[in-house]
Structures are given as C-alpha cells and as structure tokens.
Amino acid sequence: MTRTRLLWIGLSILSISAVGCGGNGSGFDTGPITAANNTSQVDNGPDTGDLAIFLTSASRGEYDHAWVLVKKVELKLATGGTRLIFDDAAGVGIDLSSLRDADGQQYAFLNSIDLPAGTYTSAQVTLGRAPILFRKNAASGTQVELAGLTPEAKEAVLNVPFDPPKMIGTGHDELVLDFDLDQWHEDKGKLTAIAKTSLAPGLESADRVLPALELGKVESVKGEVPQQTFTLKSAKTMAIEVKTLATTSLVGEPSPAAVSKGATVEVSGLYDVNTRRLDANSVRVLDAKSPTLSKIIGVVSDIDAKTGTWKLQPSQTRGFLPGSTLVSMTVTEGAKLYGASGLALGREEFLKGLSGDEQVSVLADGAYDSSKNIFTASTVRLQGENSTPGVKVEGLISDAKSTDQTFGLTLTGYEGLYSKPGAVATIAITPTTVFFDTDGKELPGEGFFAAIGAPRSATVSGTYDAATNRVLAASVKLGPMVEKPKPKAAKR
C-alpha cells in the first residue's frame, strides 16, 4: 500500500450543531448509517487502509491556554452516511495552545484506525460545549460557549469540510486537524472556532509529536518479553499497533501483570508516523470491571512533603477541563503510588521521587473538583525514562555461576520490569550487593553461591540495566528450599 498525506488546506469556519440528551449524539444527517455510527452500509470496494488522526494549531492566538474536550470524530462519505474514527465518551482534554511552540507546530495523536476505502467530504468533530480559555498572563480560565448552541445542548458538533473531497483507505493516511487559534474570535460571550486541515510540517519528527495516552483491549500479541508488539483495540474505532521494549514499564492490578490477548490496558507513549506504531513508555494492566476515572498528566511543582500535596501544570486530561494553570493535587487514603519503572512505592519514597532535580511528570487517576481546583488521586505514576529503573523480582533460582557472579531467576513475581510469569531474569551480583537468609539474617557474600546450590527461591531488589538485560542486585533474600516433585508410583 502507498502512504499519502491528506493535503486539504482550505480555511474553514466550523459550522456548529447542537447535541442534546437524546438520539445518537449526532447533530447532522447520518444517511444510511445505524445509530451506532460505526460503519457505512455503502459498498466502497475491498480496499482497506489505516488512518492516523492528529490535532495541531498553527498559532497560539491571544490565549496562553485554550482547553477543549474532544469526544468524537467522524468522517462523512460522499455517498452518504458517516464513519466513526474516534470515540471517547468522557472526552480527551487538550490544550490547543500547547500544539504550537517557538519551533513550529506540534501534534497530539488522537487515534489510529483501519477503515475501508471511501471518498469523504468532511470531518465532524464533537466537542464539549464550553472550551476553557486562558487569556494572556491569566492564572485562571474562563468557560466560553461555542456559538450557535441551544441552551439544552451538552455538546457541539463542528463540521470541517474537505475541498476537494478525499479518498482514504487505500494506504497509510494522516488526518491532521488544525485549530488555528489566530482565527478564533469571541462576540457577546460566544466563541466562533476556526479550523483547517494541515500539511503537518515536521510530523515525521519524533520531537514534534506529543506523548499519547490510550485505553483498549490487547489483540495479536507477538514476540517475547520485553520486546513485543500487539494491537490495541476498542470496539470498531481503534486499531493502534503498540511496540514494547526493555525500557517499557509495566504496572499491574493485581501484580504481577502480564500483557496477554483480551487484557484491558492503558498505554502511554509516542506515536511514530513512520513506523505506524505507538512506542510504549508504560503499559498498565487494568481490571476490566474497574470504573473509568478522570485522568491528568502534567509537570510537578510546589511539593509539600508534610501534607503530601503538590501542584501540577496539566498537559492533558481525560473527563474534564482544568480551570487553572496549576491544579492542586492530593491523594486518597491508600492511594497506589508507582515509580517510573512501575515499582510500587511508599508515600515517603514517592514524594522523594516528585522532588527530582529535573522536571518531574506524573499521570494520575481520580476525581477533579472544579469548584476547589483540586484533583484527588487514587493512583499516581511517575512518568519518563529512567536509566536505572528500580525493580523487585522473585522466583526460583537456576543456573548459578559463581565465576560470572550471576544466576537466573524463573519469575513468579516482579515489579518495575516488563516481563511475564515463567520468564527468566538474569541477576548480576555487584560489589555492594547485600545477602540475607530465609530468616532475614545477613549472609557473608563469599558464602552466597554455596548456599544456593540446591533448588530454592529468592527475592531480589535492585535496578534494571537495559544495556546488559540484567537486574543489578542491591539485595538478595533467600527463600525456602523448593522440593522437586516426587515421581508417581507405578500402577499395579
């Protein structure tokens, strides 16, 4: 298949339709499509392709921040009907002003989807009815309703026409929607939004695409840990190829986590338009029955170790829009706290991690109180790469080599390591490794390898070295001897 960039460049004033409580959520005629709005009944031939969807802004306009809640994107077929290409009932909160910096346009990855070939005349974008706008030097934002909505409308459907119509679905395509903030204007408290499709300069450069957060089910797992690929699916509106590496962190609920077909996962990472994959920085395995909570991602400041609170400058949200440039963060009693590697942390250790020398980012799940500008988190994870991520592994010792100062560990449990039960981790002893027997008494280092001559378990804490694919042990605690299964007596 060939790759094509969508080169629609006409400037378009977005026509707005109101969306209320009833119906299928569309403010336009869906033609022959069912209420689900997933696929057209029009036969467009056997060809299929993949489409990656991005948002950008050619300018920052008069705003320091311009937050919108994106809930749905549909494509309108020339033959009638629509195809749903992005759907998030809670809504993705994106600061459009952050999609432009001194070096040019930046891009927020929204979705990737396989779809049959078709000719399309426009995109329909469903937004929350009131973006939050921060004027120059304002610490707080103002909700401004989009023009043309009825009082009962909860959402707005924005129409972005394509001129000329475009064939999609015969190769690798990108749809880049440019919310050009220079063209936005307010009149009598109502906002008229302007958008255009973009040539997307620099989209192929990794530093121009912002980190993404995606939720779905795992399909088609290939490869062995830690280097795997899988498809992230969600109904008929998502087909994102995900790639994991040794540096990918893995968080599980419960632990140990494993990425397997059918698992519900949340993936954070960077989408590479050249490889058509989301390179995963972290994968979180979720209980499919857990409620979907609001989310916030941003940079930490103003840490108060006594109260365990801090401020967060948000870069993306799910389910709400922030009302201030800094959101006050607190955690629930018993909140789950994780390091960048996915290792579970205590409160004191986590707060220490927030106070790193460089800017520290976090991803939190919880609830936002807009009246108090407080986000109360039940789960918080440090974000970003760590050259020596903290890990904790346990399992059955094997292949001990005193000359190399290494041994294998067939894993039954692990934190901070992208792995699976039954995988073998190589443990490397260092000059500073501390050893303990089954009772927790310290062992002399020179006698350690003699003590593990027979099959037994161990728990190892340390750091992971991606260059050598080894766990560098800070401490090793021996577990009980493991009895070999007795042979079954022969039947008489």
Side-chain angles (χ1 to χ4, degrees), residues 296-377:
I296 187 169
I297 307 170
V299 176
V300 173
S301 65
D302 301 333
I303 303 156
D304 187 333
K306 291 183 178 180
T307 61
T309 60
W310 67 94
K311 303 288 187 183
L312 197 71
Q313 182 177 339
S315 57
Q316 189 179 121
T317 62
R318 289 285 173 103
F320 74 99
L321 296 180
S324 297
T325 55
L326 293 176
V327 175
S328 297
M329 301 290 295
T330 186
V331 296
T332 61
E333 186 72 26
K336 298 174 183 178
L337 308 174
Y338 298 95
S341 68
L343 181 67
L345 301 177
R347 180 180 181 274
E348 184 176 345
E349 191 175 6
F350 177 78
L351 290 172
K352 183 179 178 181
L354 290 183
S355 307
D357 294 335
E358 300 179 358
Q359 286 189 329
V360 177
S361 296
V362 300
L363 164 60
D365 292 13
Y368 179 64
D369 185 335
S370 59
S371 64
K372 298 179 180 178
N373 188 41
I374 295 176
F375 190 96
T376 302

Side-chain angles (χ1 to χ4, degrees), residues 206-438:
D207 62 348
R208 294 285 88 195
V209 180
L210 300 180
L213 182 66
E214 303 293 340
L215 179 67
K217 288 186 178 295
V218 174
E219 288 193 6
S220 307
V221 183
K222 298 178 182 179
E224 288 299 322
V225 296
Q227 296 182 341
Q228 291 185 308
T229 60
F230 61 87
T231 304
L232 191 63
K233 293 268 191 175
S234 178
K236 295 182 180 179
T237 59
M238 178 189 290
I240 302 173
E241 295 300 314
V242 178
K243 179 181 179 181
T244 67
L245 297 170
T247 53
T248 302
S249 65
L250 181 63
V251 177
E253 299 175 4
S255 181
V259 174
S260 58
K261 184 176 180 179
T264 299
V265 300
E266 176 188 87
V267 181
S268 64
L270 289 173
Y271 185 83
D272 187 333
V273 73
N274 301 295
T275 63
R276 318 297 292 184
R277 284 176 173 170
L278 182 66
D279 295 329
N281 292 326
S282 69
V283 179
R284 180 183 174 195
V285 182
L286 302 169
D287 183 346
K289 298 180 181 179
S290 297
T292 301
L293 303 175
S294 295
K295 301 177 186 293
I296 187 169
I297 307 170
V299 176
V300 173
S301 65
D302 301 333
I303 303 156
D304 187 333
K306 291 183 178 180
T307 61
T309 60
W310 67 94
K311 303 288 187 183
L312 197 71
Q313 182 177 339
S315 57
Q316 189 179 121
T317 62
R318 289 285 173 103
F320 74 99
L321 296 180
S324 297
T325 55
L326 293 176
V327 175
S328 297
M329 301 290 295
T330 186
V331 296
T332 61
E333 186 72 26
K336 298 174 183 178
L337 308 174
Y338 298 95
S341 68
L343 181 67
L345 301 177
R347 180 180 181 274
E348 184 176 345
E349 191 175 6
F350 177 78
L351 290 172
K352 183 179 178 181
L354 290 183
S355 307
D357 294 335
E358 300 179 358
Q359 286 189 329
V360 177
S361 296
V362 300
L363 164 60
D365 292 13
Y368 179 64
D369 185 335
S370 59
S371 64
K372 298 179 180 178
N373 188 41
I374 295 176
F375 190 96
T376 302
S378 55
T379 303
V380 190
R381 290 185 281 155
L382 299 178
Q383 297 289 285
E385 295 183 1
N386 190 332
S387 57
T388 55
V391 299
K392 182 179 181 180
V393 293
E394 57 186 21
L396 182 65
I397 294 174
S398 65
D399 196 24
K401 298 178 180 179
S402 59
T403 55
D404 294 339
Q405 294 289 286
T406 63
F407 62 90
L409 203 63
T410 302
L411 299 178
T412 57
Y414 45 89
E415 293 181 33
L417 192 69
Y418 191 94
S419 194
K420 65 179 181 180
V424 177
T426 300
I427 311 300
I429 303 303
T430 75
T432 59
T433 303
V434 181
F435 306 93
F436 301 93
D437 65 14
T438 54

